[in-house]
Amino acid sequence: MSTFATDLSIDELKAEAGRLFSRKRLMNFGLPVLVLVYLTYVFFAFDVPGLTARANLENGKTLVADSYSYKTHIERDNRTGEVSAAIEGERKGAYPEGEAPDWVALGETTVIDLEDGYVVRFGPETIEYDIPGYGTVRATPTRAAGVQAELPTGDVPEWINVSKNRMAITTDAGRLTVTRNRAEVFRYFNGWELFWFTLDSPYYGQSFSELAGRAASGEAGAIFNDFWTNKMWRHQDVAWAIFETILMAFLGTFGAAIVALPLAFLATRNFNPLKSVRFFTRRIFDFVRGVDALIWTVVLARAFGPGPLTGALAMLVTDTGTFGKIFSEALENVDQKQIEGVQSTGANATQRYRFGVIPQITPVLLSQLLYFLESNTRSATVIGAITGGGIGLLLTQAIITQKDWEEVAYYIVLIILMVMLMDWFSGWLRRRLIQGESGKTRKPRDSKRKPFLLP
């Protein structure tokens, strides 16, 4: 019997078992209660009820709708009476003077047919909006008295906002806004209009078969040029931004590996007997990786100015510390027998490192290197927004405008595709370099081979 059993009586054993069971029950029930209390504290500390109350689902729906649709603006200058039409309200997407979509009839009184009985009329003085099931709303903008609105009798619906200087009506067919200086109609359509060609392109509005026929007749270069130099979607600039983002990730990752590998030898016991040097090198690794890449980005941008190179340097500094720790740990676990075998052939120190050490840590080095390359591709998007380079800059510019949400969606799709491509590439390269060309682990040779017999 054990000492514990022989030294205690039956009653003492029961009491000890009871204490153990009580402690176990306390742990089993106490920890969930503590977690529940903490989550309750977080719920109120971050004002989740207030956030829920302030949430505006309509704004969320509008943002989502803007990401997969576009809106056409029909605008009238109330001072001159001129009417213009533009996609997304941009000059680069404006219709030529005197032209408009087929659902807009220009004239002394411009009639805008929003379908299903919703009709807006820009008269010489008064703007009218026929709303099925409600009636006709009239607004007369004046410089002195502001916007004089005339509504059907009854309570004003929530989708109509009227003040002295502005009237806004939002329906499923479109939105009308009238101020002193202008009246504007927004109408939404699904898709990304002008993604391929702008209005001034001779290829705008043509079907795929028509474009294929013109390309076959010798206009392929002109078609591609009109798409590549699209003034609204800027495909050329976007492609260069994607290249800059990948370049930042590549330079930062591989540059950090090149710097960290020789420093890792100084941080290992089996390759550097000087304790003070090992300590100092490890503290350098701790320092550079202890500061996030975004902080290094701000510091280096102050020193070197904005640009993709600054972003690459920020990732290089941070990853140098991470790679230094990973590589030094791998070096401490190398097999000394392989090094001794190379040394027995008369190899010098450089050759011992080259043929006895590097082959052992290569799988770890490549695996971590490719993983960080994939991860830094995502990080380069955020860093590029700070340093002013890459797809991150374009994404930030589109978000700041608060109206180009279809471009935001486009850039997000490109970023996801870029990350997926880098994930596939790193996996393919890892299989090629570590597991061989076929991607399968090589089988050891069969030791039971038939003996060679002389005839």
Side-chain angles (χ1 to χ4, degrees):
M1 297 180 65
S2 65
T3 305
F4 177 78
T6 57
D7 292 344
L8 298 178
S9 64
I10 299 299
D11 293 336
E12 291 174 336
L13 285 174
K14 290 181 179 179
E16 183 67 22
R19 285 193 295 269
L20 291 175
F21 281 117
S22 299
R23 187 183 305 170
K24 190 172 183 180
R25 282 197 300 268
L26 180 63
M27 292 294 294
N28 290 340
F29 292 99
L31 286 178
V33 171
L34 288 176
V35 172
L36 183 61
V37 171
Y38 175 73
L39 292 178
T40 304
Y41 165 76
V42 170
F43 183 82
F44 291 101
F46 287 93
D47 193 20
V48 175
L51 292 175
T52 305
R54 293 191 297 270
N56 192 325
L57 296 181
E58 291 300 323
N59 289 342
K61 291 179 181 178
T62 301
L63 187 148
V64 173
D66 284 344
S67 66
Y68 63 82
S69 63
Y70 69 95
K71 58 182 178 292
T72 302
H73 297 231
I74 309 299
E75 180 181 344
R76 192 191 84 157
D77 190 331
N78 294 332
R79 295 164 296 184
T80 62
E82 296 180 355
V83 178
S84 60
I87 295 174
E88 296 295 345
E90 297 188 15
R91 293 181 179 179
K92 292 173 288 188
Y95 282 81
E97 187 177 355
E99 297 183 15
D102 54 6
W103 44 274
V104 179
L106 299 176
E108 183 178 357
T109 297
T110 298
V111 180
I112 304 170
D113 185 4
L114 301 178
E115 298 182 350
D116 299 328
Y118 293 88
V119 179
V120 177
R121 289 180 292 273
F122 289 163
E125 297 181 356
T126 302
I127 294 93
E128 298 180 348
Y129 191 2
D130 295 339
I131 304 174
Y134 179 70
T136 300
V137 178
R138 295 178 177 85
T140 304
T142 60
R143 298 288 295 174
V147 178
Q148 299 177 357
E150 300 178 23
L151 306 177
T153 57
D155 297 334
V156 179
E158 295 181 355
W159 39 271
I160 297 180
N161 188 350
V162 181
S163 65
K164 179 181 178 181
N165 298 319
R166 184 176 180 270
M167 183 184 74
I169 303 176
T170 303
T171 64
D172 294 336
R175 186 164 83 242
L176 170 66
T177 303
V178 181
T179 61
R180 294 185 180 188
N181 297 327
R182 66 178 183 176
E184 192 168 15
V185 172
F186 307 89
R187 187 178 181 187
Y188 284 84
F189 295 91
N190 290 330
W192 292 345
E193 186 70 352
L194 308 185
F195 179 81
W196 303 102
F197 306 104
T198 52
L199 292 170
D200 57 352
S201 172
Y203 308 108
Y204 171 75
Q206 296 191 2
S207 64
F208 178 78
S209 57
E210 292 174 332
L211 290 174
R214 299 186 68 166
S217 63
E219 299 184 39
I223 293 174
F224 178 78
N225 182 70
D226 273 21
F227 165 77
W228 191 242
T229 58
N230 189 309
K231 296 177 182 178
M232 283 193 64
W233 289 88
R234 302 184 299 169
H235 300 298
Q236 186 175 8
D237 296 337
V238 171
W240 177 252
I242 291 287
F243 172 76
E244 277 189 343
T245 302
I246 296 176
L247 184 63
M248 274 194 291
F250 182 86
L251 291 177
T253 305
F254 285 88
I258 293 173
V259 174
L261 183 58
L263 292 177
F265 283 93
L266 298 178
T268 56
R269 297 186 185 91
N270 47 347
F271 292 100
N272 182 15
L274 299 177
K275 186 176 180 179
S276 59
V277 176
R278 292 201 309 268
F279 177 83
F280 181 72
T281 306
R282 288 182 178 276
R283 299 296 76 78
I284 291 178
F285 291 157
D286 293 339
F287 172 71
V288 294
R289 81 169 185 272
V291 181
D292 192 81
L294 291 178
I295 306 301
W296 283 118
T297 301
V298 176
V299 173
L300 294 174
R302 179 74 173 177
F304 299 101
L309 183 59
T310 303
L313 287 175
M315 285 186 286
L316 185 150
V317 172
T318 303
D319 289 350
T320 295
T322 306
F323 283 149
K325 178 178 175 59
I326 294 173
F327 294 168
S328 62
E329 292 176 351
L331 287 170
E332 287 182 344
N333 294 321
V334 297
D335 187 3
Q336 294 294 330
K337 294 181 180 180
Q338 184 170 336
I339 303 175
E340 293 171 357
V342 175
Q343 185 177 6
S344 65
T345 63
N348 55 33
T350 304
Q351 291 172 333
R352 291 198 300 271
Y353 290 151
R354 167 63 182 84
F355 297 102
V357 178
I358 299 300
Q360 295 189 58
I361 67 171
T362 295
V364 176
L365 189 149
L366 289 178
S367 179
Q368 294 297 327
L369 193 64
L370 294 175
Y371 170 76
F372 273 83
L373 176 62
E374 174 193 341
S375 177
N376 284 339
T377 303
R378 297 189 298 269
S379 301
T381 301
V382 181
I383 291 175
I386 300 176
T387 60
I391 193 67
L393 176 62
L394 298 182
L395 179 62
T396 305
Q397 291 175 344
I399 293 175
I400 289 175
T401 61
Q402 290 293 313
K403 64 177 183 177
D404 298 329
W405 292 108
E406 69 284 349
E407 292 187 19
V408 172
Y410 174 49
Y411 298 147
I412 291 176
V413 169
L414 289 178
I415 292 171
I416 294 174
L417 292 177
M418 178 181 63
V419 172
M420 291 173 62
L421 177 63
M422 293 303 296
D423 176 50
W424 168 83
F425 174 74
S426 63
W428 172 83
L429 195 60
R430 187 181 296 109
R431 290 191 299 269
R432 297 275 296 186
L433 296 177
I434 298 177
Q435 297 181 348
E437 295 184 359
S438 62
K440 299 179 180 179
T441 304
R442 297 177 179 178
K443 296 181 180 180
R445 292 184 178 181
D446 188 2
S447 58
K448 298 180 180 180
R449 307 180 73 178
K450 294 182 179 180
F452 179 75
L453 301 178
L454 293 174

